Amino acid sequence: MLLLTLTRHGPTPLHQQITDQIRGLIDRGSLPIGSALPPTRKLAEHLGVNRTTIYRAYEELWSLGYVEGRPGSYSRVRGRAPMAPPGAPASAGLISWDSRVSPGSADAHRTYLGFSPEGNHSTPDAVDFSRLDMDQRFIPAESFRRCTNTVLRREGANLLCYGPRAGYWPLREYLARRMQIHGIQVSPDEIFISNGSQHGLDLLVRILATPGRGVVVEAPTYAMMIPLLRLHGAEIIPISMNSDGMDLEQLERTLARRDVGFVYTMPNFQNPTGVSTTQDHRERLLALCEHHRVPVVEDGFEEEMKYFGKVSLPIKSMDTRGVVIYLGTFSKILMPGLRIGWVAADRGCIEHLVAVRRFADLSPTALLHAALTEFCQRGLYDLHVRRLHRMYRKRMRVTLQAMREHVPPDLATWSEPGGGYLIWVELTRCARFPEEVYAHIAQSGVIVSPGPYYFIEPPTRPCFRLSIAAVDERRIEEGMRRLGRAIRDISGS
Ligand code: PMP
């Protein structure tokens, strides 16, 4: 008979103790493969426990793959593959993931590893101008919690099922109305809610980019777009950015010669340069794309962040022929962790997005959509936007003022955006290698986002992006003082 020792009044139930001890005997080879376990009745008598206790233990051993034959018949020890131990995986894995993944994925991984604005050089109290996520202190968590409670109480389990694939209808209605503020006339069924606009971009790349077809991007462009396009095998066609936006003559030549899947542009507060294009530029870009029947993907990631003077309406506001696919997001102004963005486009395009989502992530999170709708319908979003405008208008003023004070104008040029969070700096008299420049800036206690992240071909001059999203006025002042000193050092002045 098996030698098992039971603790009668301990925390572990008796059947569990029996299971664990028999497993131990099998693992150590004391119970050889093929040997019969004692009949349940006999073992129960022997241990002085109820027969159902043994029965449960044998059932457990069976479901763990340690025995064959169900209790009742004779159970025999089964040779089972060893269980993987907890903790670190086996030292020599059989699959070499770096060579197994697709070339696009390998490229994305390399790019991912290379993203480190602070490199190894940052100081502990560095002022971090690299982060584009808004200041956490402005996130209205408490009022959002109340909205979540309200909708959950009101709609209950409906919000915890798979939600509608294109998004919660009242949110689509709200966004269709909201878009009118920006001159965009779309109906709710021309709106698709994505899990953040990065998700929208991913889906758009999947439906519009095919290997061999080009995708036009601004140079520099949004850094995440480059590996994303490569991941899907698209050929990236960079078009230079001038001080007033993408070079339209270069675009015209490209569209005339190449098969282009779409043109990706950020007309407002472009990431990374902060440049906003003029009305005239927008009209000409749209006319060109209409002429060549090429979709425009307009990324309005900071559309709501207009806080100085007048900024032109989105290109989508002039789209009478269903050419423009507009992307919006709540990430830059409300809560990045919500992961809610949207695509406003022609119904035909929306249908394709819905189909691809069906196979990618099934459906979005209706609960969050409903909570956000409640938040917006209570007027809390409008209040929040006004508050953020006040805060960031002040920050941007302080930043530009501090730059003028601390950065010598003969050593650098920079953009002065009418909103958003971004300022683009180019060093005009610095002959150092780019790595040296970024390392020196980091050692001086400032973290910037290095220019090469945003280009396909390395830029000709040292350049970098500054973001004021997560830095307050006091730190901005200090950061600019340090940056000015660093620029003077590396420009040999
Ligand atoms: N577009 C641009 C230009 C961005 O900068 C970002 C985020 N940094 C996104 C899209 C994606 O934002 P999200 O997915 O959080 O909406």
Side-chain angles (χ1 to χ4, degrees):
M1 193 50 73
L2 297 174
L3 269 180
L4 307 178
T5 320
L6 301 184
T7 308
R8 299 278 157 182
H9 303 292
T12 315
L14 291 174
H15 73 273
Q16 189 64 49
Q17 296 182 43
I18 298 168
T19 309
D20 294 347
Q21 290 181 38
I22 296 181
R23 270 181 69 175
L25 292 171
I26 299 174
D27 285 341
R28 289 192 298 275
S30 309
L31 261 178
I33 294 165
S35 59
L37 293 182
T40 49
R41 191 177 45 77
K42 279 213 173 125
L43 187 57
E45 277 167 13
H46 173 71
L47 293 174
V49 299
N50 203 305
R51 195 170 163 195
T52 51
T53 306
I54 307 296
Y55 192 87
R56 280 184 75 181
Y58 281 15
E59 184 94 326
E60 179 80 7
L61 287 165
W62 177 82
S63 60
L64 289 169
Y66 275 95
V67 297
E68 48 200 354
R70 302 299 299 264
S73 65
Y74 275 106
S75 300
R76 292 193 174 277
V77 173
R78 184 178 164 276
R80 128 181 243 305
M83 304 277 278
S91 53
L94 276 186
I95 313 268
S96 154
W97 296 106
D98 288 345
S99 52
R100 175 57 66 108
V101 298
S102 67
S105 193
D107 180 80
H109 186 237
R110 270 192 302 278
T111 311
Y112 173 73
L113 295 179
F115 265 121
S116 162
E118 67 278 24
N120 300 320
H121 310 284
S122 78
T123 54
D125 75 328
V127 182
D128 189 350
F129 287 116
S130 71
R131 289 176 42 210
L132 183 48
D133 31 345
M134 58 177 278
D135 199 321
Q136 193 177 330
R137 288 169 289 187
F138 300 151
I139 292 181
E142 181 50 30
S143 46
F144 190 73
R145 182 192 64 73
R146 285 198 295 270
C147 293
T148 312
N149 285 354
T150 303
V151 294
L152 203 48
R153 212 177 296 122
R154 193 169 63 212
E155 298 188 45
N158 271 345
L159 295 179
L160 300 170
C161 299
Y162 284 124
R165 295 197 205 293
Y168 182 68
W169 182 258
L171 183 56
R172 296 170 77 192
E173 285 179 324
Y174 172 81
L175 286 169
R177 280 198 307 279
R178 178 98 198 159
M179 293 269 71
Q180 288 175 10
I181 296 180
H182 303 287
I184 295 176
Q185 302 291 340
V186 284
S187 58
D189 59 354
E190 290 169 298
I191 299 231
F192 170 92
I193 318 266
S194 55
N195 305 332
S197 53
Q198 187 69 28
H199 178 228
L201 285 171
D202 178 52
L203 293 175
L204 284 169
V205 173
R206 291 184 199 213
I207 67 170
L208 293 173
T210 50
R213 191 185 258 178
V215 170
V216 165
V217 301
E218 291 151 344
T221 187
Y222 172 41
M224 303 297 158
M225 199 58 183
I226 299 170
L228 177 63
L229 286 167
R230 289 190 178 135
L231 185 60
H232 293 282
E235 195 189 324
I236 307 175
I237 308 174
I239 305 268
S240 325
M241 275 290 281
N242 298 327
S243 57
D244 62 344
M246 187 188 293
D247 182 333
L248 292 179
E249 267 135 45
Q250 211 182 326
L251 176 66
E252 187 167 17
R253 287 195 298 277
T254 304
L255 293 179
R257 276 204 321 261
R258 303 285 307 268
D259 176 19
V260 170
F262 64 90
V263 173
Y264 174 63
T265 182
M266 291 162 272
N268 280 338
F269 322 128
Q270 200 244 13
N271 184 359
T273 60
V275 164
S276 295
T277 62
T278 59
Q279 175 65 22
D280 181 58
H281 188 281
R282 293 172 196 218
E283 287 169 11
R284 287 194 294 139
L285 190 147
L286 179 60
L288 275 176
C289 291
E290 281 181 348
H291 179 72
H292 291 278
R293 294 174 188 247
V294 171
V296 179
V297 173
E298 175 177 25
D299 189 340
F301 72 115
E302 286 181 350
E303 200 71 69
E304 303 271 25
M305 295 298 284
K306 302 170 184 174
Y307 37 74
F308 290 133
K310 275 237 101 20
V311 179
S312 301
L313 292 176
I315 304 176
K316 180 73 182 159
S317 67
M318 298 178 278
D319 181 28
T320 52
R321 308 181 68 187
V323 169
V324 184
I325 303 168
Y326 179 89
L327 289 140
T329 178
F330 284 97
S331 291
K332 303 297 170 208
I333 194 151
L334 185 61
M335 303 171 197
L338 263 190
R339 309 308 303 134
I340 298 183
W342 66 97
V343 179
D346 190 75
R347 280 183 200 83
C349 175
I350 299 289
E351 271 176 33
H352 282 281
L353 291 174
V354 171
V356 172
R357 158 174 269 170
R358 171 81 177 83
F359 305 116
D361 72 335
L362 295 183
S363 75
T365 316
L367 171 60
L368 290 181
H369 288 193
L372 178 59
T373 311
E374 181 72 18
F375 186 86
C376 294
Q377 282 169 347
R378 286 185 186 184
L380 296 172
Y381 181 58
D382 289 315
L383 275 177
H384 173 78
V385 169
R386 282 204 289 279
R387 175 162 177 253
L388 242 68
H389 279 190
R390 276 199 308 278
M391 311 302 283
Y392 281 104
R393 187 184 296 123
K394 192 158 155 231
R395 275 194 192 182
M396 186 58 94
R397 276 209 187 105
V398 168
T399 311
L400 293 172
Q401 182 57 36
M403 284 197 78
R404 286 183 214 116
E405 222 168 279
H406 299 293
V407 181
D410 56 329
L411 302 184
T413 58
W414 58 88
S415 55
E416 301 218 345
Y421 301 125
L422 303 175
I423 296 170
W424 181 248
V425 183
E426 287 188 8
L427 303 186
T428 43
R429 283 193 10 214
C430 168
R432 307 268 192 103
F433 287 116
E435 296 73 31
E436 249 183 282
V437 172
Y438 306 121
H440 186 83
I441 292 176
Q443 278 155 3
S444 311
V446 191
I447 302 174
V448 300
S449 199
Y453 288 177
Y454 305 92
F455 286 90
I456 288 108
E457 300 292 332
T460 45
R461 277 183 184 167
C463 47
F464 49 87
R465 188 191 79 176
L466 300 175
S467 165
I468 58 163
V471 199
D472 62 27
E473 285 87 346
R474 195 180 52 79
R475 298 287 287 162
I476 288 172
E477 278 279 350
E478 176 56 26
M480 287 307 158
R481 198 169 301 123
R482 295 178 189 179
L483 184 65
R485 209 178 310 122
I487 291 177
R488 279 196 297 276
D489 288 350
I490 48 182
S491 303
S493 131

